[in-house]
Amino acid sequence: MYDRRIALFMMLGAGLSACTPTTTAGPRLGPDGRPLPRVYRLSASDTADVQFRMLDAVNALRQAAGAGPLQLNAELNAAAATHSRDMSVQNRPWHFGSDGSSPLDRVRRVGFRGSLLGENISETYETELQTLAAWMENPATREIIVDPRATLMGFSWFQEPNGKIWWTMVTGSGAAPVLAAIPAPQPVF
């Protein structure tokens, strides 16, 4: 009799475990009934992926506008990263640094020798592609993105612990860093 009870409880347990709902929970809703935004988290390991995803999207938009492609530039990336962090410290999106520096000052500090053409900035919780879409809706920031004179781009961000992201895009032309030629391998005899 004892064995029958155990077997019966095991069968009931197996049957009840098969009754768990298979639907997934939908998005969390806010008081207005609209889905709450999800925090877009970035890490240092995402840097190359995010920068190249943005570069690809920018170049697609530039091609549609009849402009040539941009290349990422290390100095412009550094200037963009510095300004993104500084905007967070100041807690305001604007083109001047906490030390009074302008975009031109910042690109010169990192050793960029070309011409600075423009800077786009944003304070948001949105992804880089959502930010790019917002920049394209504004004629002034759109002009920086599709400027046919531009050949180089720097792009970076700073994310606060609460998820807020400070984005900076810098465009320029000329003085792309020259890569040293890699010597041809010498045959071994």
Side-chain angles (χ1 to χ4, degrees), residues 114-179:
S115 298
L116 172 70
L117 296 174
E119 179 182 73
N120 286 339
I121 58 173
S122 180
E123 165 197 22
T124 185
Y125 291 89
E126 295 178 332
T127 70
E128 67 278 4
L129 298 180
Q130 290 169 318
T131 301
L132 177 59
W135 284 339
M136 289 298 289
E137 291 176 9
N138 179 302
T141 54
R142 176 186 170 85
E143 181 56 35
I144 291 169
I145 294 165
V146 299
D147 184 346
R149 299 172 299 158
T151 58
L152 303 170
M153 180 179 90
F155 181 71
S156 196
W157 69 89
F158 178 77
Q159 185 167 36
E160 296 179 353
N162 68 5
K164 183 190 293 185
I165 306 171
W166 301 85
W167 299 103
T168 304
M169 170 194 278
V170 183
T171 61
S173 66
V178 176
L179 300 175

Side-chain angles (χ1 to χ4, degrees), residues 81-137:
T82 299
H83 192 54
S84 292
R85 180 177 291 276
D86 191 47
M87 286 190 298
S88 172
V89 169
Q90 296 181 73
N91 195 33
R92 64 178 168 180
W94 75 323
H95 294 282
F96 294 96
S98 57
D99 61 356
S101 62
S102 70
L104 183 58
D105 296 329
R106 289 189 294 276
V107 300
R108 293 291 179 242
R109 283 182 192 161
V110 297
F112 183 69
R113 290 190 165 94
S115 298
L116 172 70
L117 296 174
E119 179 182 73
N120 286 339
I121 58 173
S122 180
E123 165 197 22
T124 185
Y125 291 89
E126 295 178 332
T127 70
E128 67 278 4
L129 298 180
Q130 290 169 318
T131 301
L132 177 59
W135 284 339
M136 289 298 289
E137 291 176 9

Side-chain angles (χ1 to χ4, degrees), residues 10-47:
M10 289 178 70
M11 287 178 16
L12 283 172
L16 288 175
S17 68
C19 293
T20 58
T22 58
T23 61
T24 58
R28 290 186 12 210
L29 301 178
D32 60 358
R34 297 176 62 190
L36 292 172
R38 292 184 181 187
V39 174
Y40 181 59
R41 288 282 174 203
L42 296 166
S43 69
S45 64
D46 298 323
T47 300

